[in-house]
Amino acid sequence: KPGVAAKGGGGFGGGGGGGGKERKAKRTPAEKKKKYRRASDMTAKEKQTAQQAAVLLRDGCLRIDNALKKETAARVKACILQEIENARAEKERDPEKTDEINARHGIDQERENRCVINLPLRADTIDGYAKACAEADPSFEEGVSDDPIIDALNELLDPVDGALGPLYAELCGEDAPLYEICSLVTWPGSLRQSVHPDAGHQPNPPLFAAFVACQDITPDMGPTLFLPGTQLPTTERARFDDMETRNDMIAEYSAPKAAALKAGDLAIFDMRCLHVGQANHPERGASRVLFNLTFRNPAADQPIGYDGSIRSHYFEQFNLAGMQAELERGKEKSDEFVNVA
């Protein structure tokens, strides 16, 4: 039964464990730095971040609402779809360069109605992005509105108020390297994946990936389904790793969590956690566009076994603190990442 499905799939927030006996999580880099800082000395945001990190380390997945503004999400979606359209048009003009174009963009189109594409750090490097953004959001004005991808990075990675900046610092430290900046897109007719992890088990979580919804995601659009707690070496995870009991474990898993997100919401997960992209219904579905950011945990020193989706000239060029510094530096002249994008 290779296509056996996990039961249920309710929405998720801060709850839901995977069952089995869990090992006590190691202290995060930020916890070690703060040592025994009293809760009374922490700001509301710091307390929230600490709570989010604790849930993520326990469950392997976490939902954060309103991580991006709705208009930012709509504009980023327009940029992503325009970049995919540009790549497809380029391949049609010169079919002999298909492999070269796919390699440059990191395009994975092995499965029908599904695409993974590596993204630039600036939207203004995408031909036709301004027109696409204006069509998606009439309030967008070329030459007046800020770059949509830069806006998204600022909103997500701000070291104080961002949904992800403080959390990644808590989980991985400010020297965490950027491992992925890409998009996963599915269209109606996309088939369900098999349940899988993206990274093998090791004592420290190697990668934390964030999937940001660029539009509302309904059940018919195939939201990602997570199996909380399966990033840890629990009894249930052992049943999955054993091929003889894998299908029974998936079918009997009691509390899967579906990332049926609203536009601007995100799901962040430990990439050791079991998950599955569900089918995008051929008639009732719609295009599902995710903006993805992944950072690597420097404390994880074992091989990961997963190549990140990132443009080759970005690989190992940026860490969290470096990206935040560049975003801050470029605000005055709106020239963030112009030398590398």
Side-chain angles (χ1 to χ4, degrees):
K1 295 182 283 188
V4 65
K7 296 187 295 183
F12 67 99
K21 184 178 180 180
E22 297 182 3
R23 296 191 306 174
K24 185 177 180 181
K26 293 184 177 181
R27 288 187 298 161
T28 65
E31 287 173 332
K32 293 177 181 178
K33 184 177 180 180
K34 290 184 291 189
K35 294 186 178 180
Y36 299 105
R37 186 179 180 188
R38 294 179 301 177
S40 59
D41 295 332
M42 299 171 69
T43 66
K45 177 63 175 179
E46 288 172 336
K47 290 178 183 178
Q48 180 190 53
T49 298
Q51 291 168 353
Q52 289 173 333
V55 171
L56 183 50
L57 291 172
R58 182 193 71 197
D59 293 351
C61 56
L62 173 75
R63 174 175 178 158
I64 301 176
D65 291 340
N66 302 311
L68 277 188
K69 297 174 183 176
K70 303 293 185 185
E71 59 266 28
T72 304
R75 294 173 183 182
V76 170
K77 177 179 180 178
C79 293
I80 291 167
L81 294 178
Q82 185 63 46
E83 183 74 333
I84 293 172
E85 182 180 324
N86 292 346
R88 288 175 172 171
E90 188 177 356
K91 287 187 288 187
E92 289 179 4
R93 290 193 301 269
D94 196 346
E96 293 184 359
K97 291 186 176 181
T98 293
D99 290 343
E100 175 189 331
I101 295 165
N102 284 349
R104 184 168 72 248
H105 289 280
I107 296 176
D108 170 15
Q109 291 178 308
E110 294 180 358
R111 289 176 286 274
E112 188 175 3
N113 296 316
R114 182 182 186 276
C115 175
V116 176
I117 186 166
N118 300 343
L119 296 176
L121 289 165
R122 294 187 62 91
D124 60 11
T125 65
I126 300 172
D127 290 341
Y129 91 97
K131 180 180 178 181
C133 286
E135 291 175 352
D137 175 16
S139 68
F140 179 86
E141 296 182 54
E142 185 175 8
V144 177
S145 300
D146 292 330
D147 185 287
I149 293 179
I150 294 297
D151 275 349
L153 292 174
N154 270 313
E155 291 173 31
L156 294 170
L157 298 182
D158 184 275
V160 177
D161 297 320
L164 291 176
L167 183 56
Y168 273 127
E170 180 87 11
L171 293 164
C172 306
E174 295 178 350
D175 59 342
L178 176 67
Y179 203 73
E180 292 185 299
I181 177 168
C182 63
S183 175
L184 167 63
V185 183
T186 66
W187 290 273
S190 175
L191 300 178
R192 179 184 176 278
Q193 296 177 302
S194 297
V195 176
H196 65 282
D198 287 329
H201 181 76
Q202 55 178 289
N204 291 314
L207 300 168
F208 290 96
F211 289 174
V212 187
C214 293
Q215 69 292 297
D216 293 354
I217 299 175
T218 68
D220 286 327
M221 293 164 67
T224 303
L225 193 71
F226 295 98
L227 278 58
T230 55
Q231 81 283 7
L232 299 171
T234 61
T235 300
E236 287 192 328
R237 179 56 189 261
R239 291 182 67 207
F240 175 85
D241 292 337
D242 185 338
M243 293 300 297
E244 293 187 1
T245 57
R246 173 173 293 186
N247 287 335
D248 288 339
M249 177 270 179
I250 295 171
E252 295 168 3
Y253 191 87
S254 60
K257 303 297 182 183
L261 307 171
K262 297 294 185 181
D265 297 348
L266 67 81
I268 181 171
F269 69 104
D270 177 338
M271 294 181 79
R272 300 173 302 172
C273 185
L274 299 178
H275 59 284
V276 55
Q278 300 182 96
N280 196 324
H281 195 278
E283 296 174 357
R284 299 191 301 271
S287 61
R288 178 179 67 112
V289 180
L290 301 173
F291 177 59
N292 302 351
L293 283 176
T294 300
F295 282 84
R296 180 172 63 80
N297 181 7
D301 55 6
Q302 297 181 16
I304 296 174
Y306 173 85
D307 294 327
S309 296
I310 188 170
R311 295 193 172 191
S312 59
H313 60 293
Y314 296 163
F315 185 65
E316 295 187 341
Q317 295 301 306
F318 306 101
N319 62 20
L320 176 61
M323 292 194 70
Q324 291 169 332
E326 176 62 11
L327 289 166
E328 181 63 30
R329 182 208 61 78
K331 285 181 178 178
E332 183 177 350
K333 296 182 179 180
S334 298
D335 61 349
E336 304 92 333
F337 302 109
V338 291
N339 294 323
V340 294

